[in-house]
Amino acid sequence: MKIRHLLLLLFWTVFIATVPLSLLAQSLKNITGTVYDSSANNVIPGVSIIVKGSSRGASTDENGKYSIQAAPSDVLVFSIIGYADQQVTVGSRSAINVVMQENAMMLQSVVVNVGYGTQRRADVTGAVASISSKEISELPLTNFQQALQGRTPGIDVVAAGATPGSGVTVRI
């Protein structure tokens, strides 16, 4: 009788110890794929891929390719500005290619402050950079050129002379 109890105890110990591991083993698998644009069928770099309801995520590389760990029951959410979000259930697939649909309304809602007014992002044809007055007021500056130096892409602020206090050259 004691041997039977020991075998039963051993069975339940092994069963309880291995059941959670078997539940975890079925959970994650590697999902790969490519994200395309619907209008030109080009790849889209920089698309965010999130496993819905978790903190796992990835993004597409310069070739539009991604790789992420997900369970068959997970839902992948693909998103990028200018395109409608796509939600795809993983299921039994290990390769999921997605075609993103453009969302023109989203692009029109982006507003850019251009210093003398505001324009919709869709109307701006060049690059726009800004430095807030709050940021400038918190810095120990002696002139406005120092506020531009190293803070605005596309603008080079360099000393015009070798002596301290000499003027600066601003190149755009």
Side-chain angles (χ1 to χ4, degrees):
M1 189 75 156
K2 289 183 181 182
I3 294 177
R4 184 175 178 198
H5 288 293
L6 286 174
L7 288 175
L8 190 60
L9 179 64
L10 179 64
F11 169 77
W12 283 111
T13 304
V14 170
F15 179 76
I16 291 172
T18 57
V19 167
L21 294 176
S22 65
L23 290 175
L24 289 175
Q26 63 118 27
S27 61
L28 299 180
K29 63 180 179 177
N30 194 38
I31 308 298
T32 60
T34 306
V35 179
Y36 298 96
D37 176 2
S38 65
S39 63
N41 207 26
N42 293 327
V43 296
I44 307 174
V47 175
S48 296
I49 301 107
I50 303 289
V51 176
K52 192 172 186 178
S54 78
S55 61
R56 290 190 317 274
S59 64
T60 57
D61 63 12
E62 64 274 358
N63 298 319
K65 297 189 180 300
Y66 72 93
S67 176
I68 190 168
Q69 296 288 318
S73 61
D74 285 338
V75 174
L76 301 179
V77 180
F78 297 79
S79 63
I80 190 169
I81 293 177
Y83 293 87
D85 290 358
Q86 298 283 336
Q87 293 189 14
V88 179
T89 303
V90 173
S92 62
R93 299 179 288 179
S94 60
I96 300 174
N97 294 331
V98 174
V99 178
M100 300 291 287
Q101 302 294 323
E102 289 184 10
N103 186 354
M105 295 300 293
M106 184 179 284
L107 281 178
Q108 290 183 4
S109 67
V110 177
V111 176
V112 178
N113 184 348
V114 292
Y116 51 84
T118 58
Q119 293 183 352
R120 288 180 305 155
R121 178 69 181 132
D123 296 337
V124 177
T125 58
V128 177
S130 65
I131 302 173
S132 69
S133 59
K134 181 181 178 187
E135 183 181 354
I136 293 173
S137 67
E138 293 174 351
L139 299 171
L141 305 172
T142 57
N143 57 38
F144 81 94
Q145 291 97 341
Q146 288 178 338
L148 296 175
Q149 191 169 17
R151 290 182 181 80
T152 50
I155 296 179
D156 292 328
V157 180
V158 294
T163 60
S166 64
V168 295
T169 301
V170 178
R171 292 187 198 115
I172 299 176

